[in-house]
Amino acid sequence: MKFFDGHNDTLLRLSLYTRPDPERSFLDGRPDGHIDLPRAERGGMLGGLFALYAPSATGLSFDHFRGASYDCPLPPEVPIAVAQQIILKQISILLRIVAASEERVVLCRSVGEIRSTIAASGFAIVLHLEGAEAIDPDLHALDVLHAAGLRSLGPVWSRNNAFGGGVPMRFPSSPDAGPGLTAAGRELVRACNRLRILVDLSHLTEQGFWDVARLSHAPLVATHSNAHDICPSSRNLTDRQLDAIRDSDGLVGLNLATCFLRPDGQMLADTDLDVVVRHIDRLVERLSETRVGLGSDFDGAVVPDRIGSVAGAQAIFQALSARGYGDDILRKIAVENWLGVLARTIG
Ligand code: ZN
């Protein structure tokens, strides 16, 4: 089952490499991490949303997501000049990958371009910005990023910035864990609607979620979040939030980060795929089979060891198939739902 993915942090990983040629690591394969082109082809990945992301000076490690409960402090804010420098480097790496790929990798700006890339056996990348620290309050940088191909944006990552409050990584916890959008954040959402840039809800607080829901004319999309009913993490979506996403004809991308899958909230590779199936069951029940996709979080999280990397992604579809999901529903979850909501959003 070929699939399109809603979220990964591969460009961040490549930008942290000290080697001079991160683009060759992506095109030819690399010994670490989750996604490169050879493994994507083995795992049936057609492409996906690739995140630009500027880390804080002091970040969170996966060790923070352990213990019966945890409440990670919000990482420090990132100054705009720092964020812009990091994001320009990540865009440059992507452009170099595309240029060196001999048309195997394509930066896509519309669903038409995604479909034609896939039809020509290419790998379709849509540019996403995770946290808008690189954007000035007057939104000049948004115009430039849009011209460079940006088609999806989360106003915040799990920290605060000029546009709003990020949801802290907390377990167990309601997502109602801090302030929502600022006035600048509301302007950013309006501008994204105008430019047809998808607004990602995944790292917003619940207040921020409802701020976007009230304001946005576009379908509500959480690119990489799960069902709070099964894993009560602050990063997951309550039934009320899922209902709002359903009513807007939006989408939720299932996150493979084990701390957002497991009922005990732990970041542990030793996690059975049964819990992945439970989340899909729950999301399909609330949203219907047309509003659920994948949002792997590859290269940004510890995923179940049965999957391991994108090369093992077919284990997800095998588990769903064993549960009784037919190929027609699996094709929707794997690719058609993402292309449908992107068509309704970016065009
Ligand atoms: Zn994320």
Side-chain angles (χ1 to χ4, degrees):
M1 182 64 56
K2 305 274 191 191
F3 72 98
F4 186 88
D5 185 44
H7 187 84
N8 69 66
D9 291 305
T10 303
L11 292 174
L12 168 68
R13 297 293 153 219
L14 294 175
S15 72
L16 297 174
Y17 274 9
T18 47
R19 290 169 234 175
D21 55 351
E23 59 274 15
R24 293 262 47 116
S25 299
F26 183 80
L27 292 168
D28 302 338
R30 58 193 175 115
D32 50 359
H34 291 151
I35 296 181
D36 51 42
L37 196 57
R39 280 184 288 177
E41 284 169 356
R42 280 210 300 285
M45 183 179 180
L46 298 167
L49 273 67
F50 275 56
L52 306 168
Y53 170 74
S56 291
T58 52
L60 299 173
S61 85
F62 295 148
D63 292 336
H64 284 97
F65 303 83
R66 303 234 166 92
S69 67
Y70 47 82
D71 184 1
C72 306
L74 286 176
E77 297 187 27
V78 179
I80 183 168
V82 173
Q84 285 185 348
Q85 191 178 13
I86 294 170
I87 272 147
L88 287 179
K89 179 176 176 182
Q90 292 170 359
I91 295 173
S92 157
I93 289 170
L94 174 61
L95 295 174
R96 290 176 186 188
I97 287 171
V98 170
S101 76
E102 296 166 339
E103 299 180 17
R104 286 183 297 157
V105 181
V106 179
L107 172 56
C108 297
R109 294 170 167 81
S110 68
V111 172
E113 290 181 9
I114 298 172
R115 286 200 185 276
S116 59
T117 298
I118 291 172
S121 301
F123 189 77
I125 291 182
V126 174
L127 206 46
H128 169 77
L129 179 62
E130 183 164 40
E133 282 81 1
I135 296 176
D136 52 293
D138 291 329
L139 308 182
H140 296 299
L142 182 67
D143 292 333
V144 175
L145 289 171
H146 177 260
L150 187 78
R151 289 296 178 275
S152 172
L153 173 160
V156 294
W157 184 69
S158 284
R159 69 188 166 216
N160 296 329
N161 66 21
F163 302 102
V167 74
M169 305 288 193
R170 194 180 283 172
F171 182 92
S173 169
S174 155
D176 187 9
L181 295 180
T182 62
R186 292 191 289 277
E187 279 310 311
L188 177 64
V189 170
R190 288 189 190 98
C192 285
N193 276 182
R194 209 160 49 234
L195 291 166
R196 302 196 72 174
I197 294 174
L198 183 151
V199 178
D200 180 17
L201 301 160
S202 273
H203 282 273
L204 284 165
T205 62
E206 185 169 0
Q207 273 196 50
F209 177 101
W210 294 116
D211 288 341
V212 175
R214 266 191 298 275
L215 204 62
S216 178
H217 305 301
L220 299 176
V221 176
T223 61
H224 57 305
S225 293
N226 293 334
H228 193 271
D229 185 62
I230 296 173
C231 168
S233 164
S234 56
R235 272 280 282 105
N236 285 340
L237 299 158
T238 66
D239 285 351
R240 252 189 92 215
Q241 290 176 298
L242 294 175
D243 290 350
I245 290 170
R246 176 200 62 211
D247 293 345
S248 76
D249 204 6
L251 183 137
V252 174
L254 180 96
N255 193 325
L256 298 177
T258 49
C259 61
F260 307 138
L261 285 170
R262 297 166 60 101
D264 65 3
Q266 306 299 293
M267 191 76 112
L268 289 172
D270 183 13
T271 295
D272 200 84
L273 292 192
D274 186 53
V275 74
V276 173
V277 175
R278 283 181 62 201
H279 278 277
I280 292 279
D281 283 347
R282 182 69 182 163
L283 293 174
V284 167
E285 181 189 324
R286 295 306 290 201
L287 299 163
S288 100
E289 66 193 50
T290 64
R291 302 188 189 95
V292 181
L294 293 187
S296 68
D297 224 344
F298 280 139
D299 281 319
V302 175
V303 304
D305 52 14
R306 282 265 328 271
I307 298 169
S309 78
V310 64
Q314 290 304 309
I316 303 164
F317 301 107
Q318 284 154 9
L320 291 170
S321 189
R323 165 82 177 172
Y325 284 83
D327 279 357
D328 50 339
I329 298 184
L330 289 185
R331 225 177 326 273
K332 291 178 192 173
I333 293 172
V335 58
E336 286 307 321
N337 294 343
W338 258 121
L339 299 195
V341 81
L342 287 172
R344 296 192 291 280
T345 310
I346 70 171

